Amino acid sequence: MHDAVQRPAPAGARTAESRREAAAAALFASAYPRLAGWCRGLVHSDDMAHDIAAEAFTRLWSRWTSVAAPVPYLYSVASNLIKQQWRRADRERQALGRMTAEAVEPAPPADRGTAIKELVQALPERQRVPVLLHYYADLSIDEIAKALHRRPGTIKSDLYTARQALKAELRGHHDITT
């Protein structure tokens, strides 16, 4: 039996790989804290926020060479993961509510931040994702358009429609006229 000798990668391949890793490390260092903080504001859990941010970076790394705009991609992935977490939390609350239906306690009054979060969650996905990316992640219209593969004008229209829906809901629930 003859053992196969593994040859080292060509010098050019090692250099390209090291540049790729250096670029990813730089992006991680600059974008991770902001992404994790954005997630934290939406899921209200440090652990969950870090899990979501880490998963977004993992998914980016698996598509590193095919993603033209990494930061909008990260926020788009994180937005989808947050949406999944919200759905899971809603299902858990509903199950808990069914289990404790006979032990009814008055719910604490909702604060305005919670009400707005719930209204944003209730928006159609086409409007909700741009709202999350623009107002919560502070991405530009062009970055959102790239991430969602839509035209900037479409993003502006979706944001306008979402703002009008939120304004109407807030006015109806909170007597806000701004």
Side-chain angles (χ1 to χ4, degrees):
M1 280 214 159
H2 186 29
D3 290 316
V5 176
Q6 189 173 6
R7 295 183 186 154
R14 281 191 306 243
T15 305
E17 182 65 21
S18 64
R19 281 194 305 265
R20 177 179 172 232
E21 289 176 8
L27 176 66
F28 184 84
S30 68
Y32 182 86
R34 187 171 157 209
L35 178 65
W38 177 73
C39 293
R40 169 65 176 91
L42 294 170
V43 297
H44 304 295
S45 163
D46 286 332
D47 292 338
M48 181 65 64
H50 286 286
D51 287 348
I52 289 170
E55 178 63 21
F57 271 94
T58 300
R59 292 184 186 186
L60 172 63
W61 181 251
S62 71
R63 293 175 173 80
W64 184 255
T65 57
S66 64
V67 174
V71 172
Y73 178 84
L74 286 169
Y75 280 93
S76 182
V77 169
S79 176
N80 288 334
L81 293 170
I82 288 167
K83 181 174 53 175
Q84 290 172 359
Q85 197 281 329
W86 284 346
R87 285 184 187 144
R88 189 177 313 112
D90 284 343
R91 286 191 302 269
E92 289 172 1
R93 274 193 297 277
Q94 290 171 358
L96 184 60
R98 286 190 303 268
M99 290 171 43
T100 60
E102 54 281 343
V104 177
E105 294 180 22
D111 65 16
R112 184 167 180 221
T114 301
I116 291 173
K117 178 183 164 195
E118 290 171 359
L119 292 174
V120 170
Q121 288 174 346
L123 288 171
E125 182 174 353
R126 178 175 185 85
Q127 296 167 5
R128 181 180 56 246
V129 173
V131 165
L132 291 173
L133 295 176
H134 188 65
Y135 293 106
Y136 290 87
D138 201 29
L139 295 183
S140 71
I141 300 293
D142 290 334
E143 290 173 320
I144 297 167
K146 262 187 194 173
L148 300 179
H149 306 291
R150 297 185 200 158
R151 295 174 190 243
T154 303
I155 298 300
K156 289 177 186 177
S157 175
D158 291 341
L159 287 170
Y160 175 82
T161 304
R163 282 191 305 268
Q164 295 306 309
L166 292 171
K167 186 188 234 181
E169 285 295 321
L170 286 171
R171 198 176 296 130
H173 287 96
H174 298 285
D175 256 341
I176 295 174
T177 58
T178 52

